[in-house]
Amino acid sequence: MSNLIKGKTGEWEVVIGMEIHAQVTSNAKLFSGAPTTFGAEPNSQVSLVDAAMPGMLPVVNAEAVRQAVRTGLALNSKVNKHSVFARKNYFYADLPQGYQISQYEEPIIGEGEIEIDLEDGTTRTVGIERLHLEQDAGKLIHDQLPEKTLVDLNRAGTPLMEIVSRPDIRSAEEASAYVAKMRSILRYIGSCDGNMQEGSMRADINVSVRKPGGPLGTRAEVKNVNSLRFIRQAVEVEARRQIKLIESGSEIVQETRLFDPNKGETRSMRSKEDAHDYRYFPDPDLLPIEFDDAFIADCKATLPELPDAKKHRFMETYGLSAYDAGVLVAERETAEFFETAAKACGDAKLASNWVTVELFARLKEAGQTLADSKVGAEGLGGLLALIKDGSISGKIAKDVLDEMFETGKGASEIVEAKGLKQISDTGALEGVVDKLIADNPGQVEAYRGGKTGLIGWFVGQVMKETKGQANPAMVNQLLKAKLDG
Amino acid sequence: MTDLIDLSLSEARDGLRSKDFTAVELTRAYLGAMERSRELNAYITETPDKALTMAEASDKRLAAGDAGTLEGLPIAVKDLYCTEGVLTTAASHILDGFKPPYESTVTSNLWREGAVLLGKTNLDEFAMGSSNTTSYYGPVRNPWQDKTAPSRHLVPGGSSGGSAAAVAARSALAALGTDTGGSIRQPAALTATVGFKPTYGRCSRWGIVAFASSLDQAGPFTRTVRDAAIMLRAMAGHDPKDSTSAKIEVPNFEASLTGDIKGLRIGIPKEYRLEGLSPEIDALWQQGITWLKDAGAEIVDVSLPHAKYALPAYYIVAPAEASSNLARYDGVRYGLRVPGKTLDEMYANTRGEGFGDEVQRRVLIGTYVLSAGYYDAYYLKAQKVRARIAEDFRSAWNSCDLLLTPATPTAAFGVDEKQDDPLQMYLNDVFTVTANLAGLPGISVPAGLDSKGLPLGLQLLGRPFDEGTLFRAGGVLEEAAAFTAQPGLRA
């Protein structure tokens, strides 16, 4: 119950439902053959259909349908073999047709659920209400001419999946975890690139508050939040705003609000009274989308192992903790990197640690992603193998990794060239140990007199003498034998 | 030699092939006719230069033995079809100056077969009307005259009134129309031309300015049934750019004109015997029954119990779709823009000035019937009626192959009539709308004259994609009627 927020009148529960708009990975728009390249010259990605020229007709992009079905399957959701496109009618300058082609009463994907991973390693299930296909609108540019607004239709008609959750989310952390998980799944199956900065994934957050166990409160919708951090912040500030309002005797108004990350507040965009009557009706230019079980089976066959399945497999096969497994599977590339490295060195836990701690730290510092890294999975595995077989110590390995990260050279090559290989030769070490004992009779005396803690000093001296290359376990063993004997 | 403009399309085709005359000669004859009959206001845009260029190219192909099925034949196009580089208005102020950078599929098909564009014909604004009086470019005059009042300006019907008038007046050899609730068959009946509405999905709608997407269908106006068959074959075909166009092969419709309808079962729907139906229309209907019976057809009584709800259902579904289809005319990207202080004001100014009364009326009706709280009672109910009507036809086809009905409840009326009563005007479509609601093909054939000397038509309706049978029976009807009268205001 750590999710509850304390107000003046006691504790409050936040109830959150999400609508995620995810741009379908496809080289064409939902109803026209026009390309969908991000960042192209204004109005260069616009077909006659997108500009709603007279007499133009939409033809559905089969790839978008396929991706929606794959996504539905990945979200453990019901796939509807019959679904209908509907027109959502409203006037706006970025909407050339005067209606958005969307799905209303009969979406392509029905109910399902996903598991979200929380920071304490626990999971929660969040229900999916539906997923439907719809076209995006264009963009208005207000700041180029003083008295005029310009319209860029490049984005108009881009295929979107709107994924609607049930109001099952209960905290800012869960909201962020939900979006992170959704993003992870979409990226795994390749139906959306999940790029929140470029807007190919955006979230609308429905927030309401209530006394624990009480009836649902009136909700406000916070529109178009485009990063995980902002999602957390938006939920926090909106929940607190609502609690404060209710506790001061006011009522929540059902409305659409905008999150301002600079001011850390939400602002009213429009209230329910201004809400459009969208006059939805089935689009007579399009036939219902229909397919059979074989099509669904084909879509299913193209799905990779999904994050949850992978996470559970990592926990079972490699004995990883829920948290570590969760971190590793968040991105498909990371999971694959980890598995390759683990196989190369034969120690999954070691690989997990080195990927999530050592490598990630270096990537973060360098502002790189795994894809940019000069250290490949095989390379890291090679380094870890050297630790495993006692060739180098973990401490040396960190230095070696630094150099690998910098130069892209292999671990063995670096170890070889710099002579970093651990001294595990008993003969060689024995000489060093014997000399140390002979040179320091006072310390030996003290040790033998009961100050056994001095063993650390002896080990340190050996390491110093061997420039860190001595095998610490072996040094320990040798010293003990000589001093105790 | 007879005047070239008196030849039927099939005769002109044959004459060109046997080099009796050239495409340029034929086209010049029509350009002359077009000029002589300007008082009819049948054309919004004449394209004489384009016509001659196309005719010259046709003559070359004819000489090379490389002629299409419509090679060198001068045709008029309803100004609802987008034609590349040629002003396309939908007879609306709101499309001022709009020259599409693209060509509709149906017209592309015609040009591919060698047809020659004479010009773009007048129509009711956005094809909304039954009298061609709602055009921003003024009403079209029917070339037929009331012999008791010859100076009276009569309407040609609508919405494809310009196309009907042009074909009737011999200022086009054939013309394209569109039929959403009767917009081909009704004006055909009022001008003694053959009007054909194909099965929904037979012709592509791509590039035709949309009125009501689930009802609109392209079709031809011609002077003979055979000509209609030739035209439709060229127009039709699956188009991947129109999701509702049918993937069905297009037969050679001309070949179905065998003249033999022995054993064909003709259904007579009793619900079409409307109360107050004019005795002249009723008599013509009986005459049609006799003609078909004499030709060997079997006459069957059938029932379409929900037909009486067709007109109200149509006047809900069509405006609903139109209200959405016409939302794109907003002054932002093309056509008319009337400035305003805000975006909403610009919309209101543009659409207020750009759309005429009838269009505004239908947009309002359509917006209303789709609104929250009214959707179920109007739009959804109308769709249910529509499904029942389609079901009525399906069961009728168990006992008959075609239906015979009057095409219109009246002959051509005065341009000033019915103007202040939209409901009275809507009644014009009472016999034709059922076919649109059920997606069926239909043909209107000139069948006789009323006491004022005005033409009347008979309508045949057929099974989906069974246009061949319609042409066959239509040909028999045409022959039996032996209609030879000509309008007084012809070129």
Side-chain angles (χ1 to χ4, degrees):
Chain A
M1 287 288 106
S2 59
N3 284 340
L4 299 181
I5 296 178
K6 249 195 169 56
K8 277 192 304 194
T9 59
E11 291 187 313
W12 293 84
E13 184 182 32
V14 196
V15 177
I16 302 158
M18 293 261 214
E19 289 166 26
I20 290 177
H21 288 89
Q23 184 181 329
V24 182
T25 310
S26 163
N27 50 13
K29 296 193 175 178
L30 186 52
F31 297 109
S32 84
T36 52
T37 317
F38 178 79
E41 278 292 295
N43 294 314
S44 65
Q45 317 277 298
V46 185
S47 76
L48 297 167
V49 176
D50 306 324
M53 301 299 278
M56 292 299 96
L57 297 172
V59 176
V60 71
N61 174 347
E63 175 61 11
V65 172
R66 202 179 72 90
Q67 292 293 15
V69 171
R70 293 178 74 242
T71 307
L73 291 168
L75 301 180
N76 310 301
S77 299
K78 182 173 178 286
V79 176
N80 294 322
K81 284 185 270 187
H82 171 99
S83 69
V84 174
F85 283 113
R87 293 185 185 177
K88 179 180 180 178
N89 295 283
Y90 65 96
F91 283 94
Y92 203 52
D94 65 4
L95 189 73
Q97 294 156 306
Y99 54 86
Q100 176 195 33
I101 306 179
S102 180
Q103 296 191 294
Y104 187 52
E105 285 178 334
E106 300 181 78
I108 188 164
I109 303 294
E111 291 191 353
E113 57 181 41
I114 63 169
E115 208 172 73
I116 62 171
D117 305 297
L118 302 175
E119 277 159 16
D120 61 5
T122 60
T123 59
R124 275 209 58 205
T125 300
V126 175
I128 303 292
E129 193 173 300
R130 60 187 275 159
L131 175 156
H132 68 250
L133 281 168
E134 63 183 28
Q135 45 176 191
D136 208 344
K139 212 166 63 182
L140 297 188
I141 302 163
H142 298 289
D143 54 3
Q144 296 216 344
L145 294 173
E147 306 252 305
K148 286 185 172 154
T149 295
L150 301 176
V151 186
D152 176 7
L153 295 180
N154 280 353
R155 207 177 61 189
T158 297
L160 298 178
M161 296 182 283
E162 179 174 324
I163 306 167
V164 184
S165 85
R166 293 230 162 255
D168 290 347
I169 300 165
R170 290 290 177 273
S171 70
E173 188 205 338
E174 287 183 14
S176 155
Y178 171 78
V179 176
K181 188 52 165 288
M182 190 60 76
R183 182 172 177 276
S184 172
I185 294 171
L186 300 184
R187 285 172 55 81
Y188 258 66
I189 66 170
S191 64
C192 171
D193 67 18
N195 192 329
M196 297 186 80
Q197 267 170 353
E198 285 181 5
S200 42
M201 198 171 146
R202 327 189 272 272
D204 298 344
I205 317 168
N206 284 297
V207 181
S208 65
V209 295
R210 65 175 175 188
K211 291 287 182 169
L216 283 174
T218 305
R219 68 189 152 87
E221 184 182 27
V222 186
K223 276 276 190 200
N224 274 337
V225 188
N226 67 352
S227 84
L228 295 180
R229 193 160 56 93
F230 291 164
I231 285 168
R232 273 184 182 239
Q233 290 174 3
V235 171
E236 297 274 357
V237 300
E238 178 57 20
R240 288 190 187 282
R241 183 190 72 88
Q242 291 187 11
I243 291 167
K244 206 170 150 192
L245 215 56
I246 299 170
E247 288 185 334
S248 66
S250 302
E251 288 198 343
I252 304 298
V253 187
Q254 189 176 334
E255 61 181 353
T256 305
R257 300 181 68 85
L258 197 71
F259 174 63
D260 181 341
N262 295 322
K263 294 195 176 151
E265 61 178 29
T266 65
R267 274 200 305 274
S268 181
M269 271 172 82
R270 54 173 186 262
S271 71
K272 196 184 173 189
E273 287 79 59
D274 309 325
H276 297 286
D277 176 356
Y278 290 120
R279 308 188 309 279
Y280 280 100
F281 74 107
D283 192 325
D285 284 334
L286 291 159
L287 302 174
I289 311 176
E290 282 176 335
F291 42 75
D292 54 14
D293 290 320
F295 176 77
I296 299 174
D298 285 349
C299 289
K300 199 163 197 164
T302 67
L303 292 182
E305 183 183 30
L306 294 170
D308 284 341
K310 211 181 260 296
K311 180 181 158 194
H312 292 130
R313 181 167 64 80
F314 281 10
M315 289 165 68
E316 281 158 29
T317 316
Y318 302 125
L320 301 183
S321 70
Y323 179 80
D324 284 347
V327 171
L328 286 171
V329 303
E331 295 281 348
R332 191 175 168 181
E333 293 73 17
T334 311
E336 279 165 9
F337 190 99
F338 154 74
E339 278 209 281
T340 309
K343 277 186 188 124
C345 73
D347 188 334
K349 281 192 177 166
L350 188 67
S352 163
N353 271 330
W354 279 74
V355 172
T356 58
V357 181
E358 299 300 332
L359 185 58
F360 275 14
R362 285 166 178 76
L363 288 171
K364 195 175 173 192
E365 205 184 304
Q368 292 181 355
T369 66
L370 206 53
D372 313 320
S373 172
K374 286 184 180 159
V375 181
E378 292 283 353
L380 183 69
L383 174 69
L384 302 183
L386 294 178
I387 301 177
K388 282 285 287 181
D389 70 10
S391 298
I392 56 172
S393 66
K395 188 168 170 294
I396 295 279
K398 288 179 188 175
D399 298 337
V400 177
L401 183 60
D402 282 337
E403 188 163 348
M404 293 169 73
F405 196 81
E406 205 62 40
T407 64
K409 284 184 190 156
S412 311
E413 194 188 335
I414 296 167
V415 168
E416 208 60 50
K418 297 208 161 171
L420 297 175
K421 203 164 162 116
Q422 209 160 237
I423 302 167
S424 304
D425 174 349
T426 323
L429 284 179
E430 226 174 338
V432 179
V433 169
D434 287 345
K435 186 166 181 293
L436 187 67
I437 289 172
D439 290 353
N440 296 284
Q443 308 285 23
V444 175
E445 191 89 356
Y447 177 89
R448 288 188 176 144
K451 284 184 129 181
T452 50
L454 277 169
I455 188 81
W457 179 84
F458 283 105
V459 173
Q461 292 304 305
V462 177
M463 296 310 281
K464 201 170 162 190
E465 193 64 28
T466 58
K467 298 195 180 76
Q469 282 171 262
N471 182 328
M474 202 171 277
V475 171
N476 228 315
Q477 205 184 349
L478 265 175
L479 275 169
K480 277 194 174 157
K482 303 252 176 199
L483 290 169
D484 295 347
Chain B
M1 198 168 85
T2 39
D3 198 335
L4 289 180
I5 59 170
D6 281 320
L7 299 175
S8 71
L9 182 134
S10 66
E11 289 164 350
R13 173 191 65 182
D14 298 344
L16 283 169
R17 287 197 179 153
S18 53
K19 315 259 193 298
D20 298 342
F21 46 87
T22 66
V24 168
E25 285 166 351
L26 183 65
T27 299
R28 282 193 196 285
Y30 273 104
L31 292 178
M34 197 160 73
E35 238 179 279
R36 289 197 299 281
S37 45
R38 277 194 188 137
E39 60 169 330
L40 299 179
N41 199 26
Y43 286 86
I44 290 175
T45 303
E46 297 178 358
T47 57
D49 296 342
K50 193 175 174 70
L52 285 172
T53 309
M54 292 173 92
E56 281 162 18
S58 282
D59 279 331
K60 282 189 188 130
R61 284 192 292 271
L62 282 159
D66 188 20
T69 58
L70 298 176
E71 199 65 64
L73 302 175
I75 282 161
V77 172
K78 184 180 188 178
D79 205 15
L80 200 63
Y81 289 77
C82 290
T83 42
E84 192 174 351
V86 177
L87 183 70
T88 298
T89 67
S92 180
H93 186 28
I94 210 156
L95 274 171
D96 267 10
F98 176 62
K99 288 184 181 172
Y102 50 93
E103 185 77 34
S104 84
T105 298
V106 166
T107 49
S108 294
N109 291 346
L110 293 190
W111 316 143
R112 188 196 62 218
E113 292 299 333
V116 169
L117 173 66
L118 286 169
K120 306 290 293 290
T121 56
N122 207 339
L123 63 148
D124 280 302
E125 185 179 3
F126 281 103
M128 296 178 187
S130 308
S131 58
N132 213 129
T133 50
T134 69
S135 168
Y136 177 68
Y137 297 90
V140 174
R141 180 165 186 185
N142 193 329
W144 289 86
Q145 293 157 296
D146 178 345
K147 66 185 180 195
T148 65
S151 62
R152 205 165 158 226
H153 184 144
L154 302 181
V155 302
S159 67
S160 316
S163 287
V167 173
R170 272 72 178 160
S171 71
L173 183 48
L176 293 186
T178 58
D179 192 317
T180 304
S183 284
I184 291 175
R185 292 159 290 155
Q186 185 256 11
L190 269 45
T191 57
T193 51
V194 173
F196 197 95
K197 181 230 172 257
T199 312
Y200 184 79
R202 180 62 97 175
C203 295
S204 169
R205 292 183 297 112
W206 193 89
I208 301 173
V209 173
F211 162 15
S213 310
S214 72
L215 302 160
D216 295 344
Q217 186 56 208
F221 284 90
T222 52
R223 282 178 233 140
T224 71
V225 174
R226 176 176 301 276
D227 293 356
I230 296 168
M231 281 287 287
L232 183 61
R233 188 188 180 192
M235 295 164 65
H238 173 65
D239 179 4
K241 290 187 287 189
D242 174 1
S243 309
T244 63
S245 97
K247 277 185 188 148
I248 284 187
E249 212 178 315
V250 181
N252 180 358
F253 295 120
E254 204 182 352
S256 54
L257 286 154
T258 58
D260 179 8
I261 57 162
K262 277 189 196 67
L264 200 67
R265 297 168 305 166
I266 307 288
I268 308 299
K270 65 175 182 202
E271 288 78 9
Y272 273 53
R273 203 167 297 279
L274 298 180
E275 214 173 299
L277 182 65
S278 105
E280 280 186 309
I281 300 274
D282 194 34
L284 183 78
W285 194 7
Q286 294 312 314
Q287 179 63 68
I289 292 171
T290 308
W291 284 331
L292 293 176
K293 205 172 176 177
D294 290 349
E298 185 189 328
I299 305 299
V300 194
D301 283 326
V302 296
S303 173
L304 302 172
H306 299 92
K308 58 175 176 267
Y309 305 116
L311 202 62
Y314 172 83
Y315 275 98
I316 288 168
V317 173
E321 293 183 9
S323 71
S324 178
N325 282 336
L326 269 56
R328 64 187 57 199
Y329 307 105
D330 58 6
V332 173
R333 296 170 312 287
Y334 47 76
L336 181 73
R337 176 189 293 178
V338 182
K341 285 201 267 311
T342 62
L343 181 63
D344 283 348
E345 207 181 291
M346 188 277 281
Y347 284 152
N349 292 347
T350 301
R351 292 166 65 84
E353 274 189 39
F355 289 144
D357 289 349
E358 183 61 25
V359 171
Q360 292 194 25
R361 179 180 295 124
R362 295 200 197 190
V363 168
L364 284 172
I365 292 171
T367 304
Y368 180 81
V369 300
L370 288 176
S371 296
Y374 301 99
Y375 181 85
D376 289 0
Y378 292 101
Y379 182 78
L380 211 57
K381 188 81 160 236
Q383 290 294 9
K384 284 179 185 162
V385 168
R386 194 173 174 181
R388 293 285 178 87
I389 288 170
E391 190 48 47
D392 283 355
F393 276 105
R394 273 195 291 277
S395 50
W397 302 136
N398 290 329
S399 56
C400 67
D401 303 304
L402 294 176
L403 296 178
L404 178 74
T405 77
T408 57
T410 64
F413 46 91
V415 72
D416 46 358
E417 277 180 75
K418 312 188 188 187
Q419 292 304 321
D420 47 4
D421 186 354
L423 289 181
Q424 202 54 40
M425 188 66 91
Y426 294 171
L427 275 175
N428 271 292
D429 300 328
V430 69
F431 295 135
T432 46
V433 284
T434 47
N436 300 82
L437 289 170
L440 303 174
I443 186 173
S444 170
V445 180
L449 295 176
D450 72 0
S451 55
K452 294 175 183 163
L454 293 173
L456 297 171
L458 284 172
Q459 173 181 242
L460 288 164
L461 300 175
R463 293 191 179 95
F465 299 104
D466 189 19
E467 286 90 350
T469 305
L470 275 180
F471 283 120
R472 182 152 59 98
V476 169
L477 209 53
E478 178 182 49
E479 203 178 315
F483 189 94
T484 54
Q486 296 208 7
L489 300 176
R490 56 153 293 177

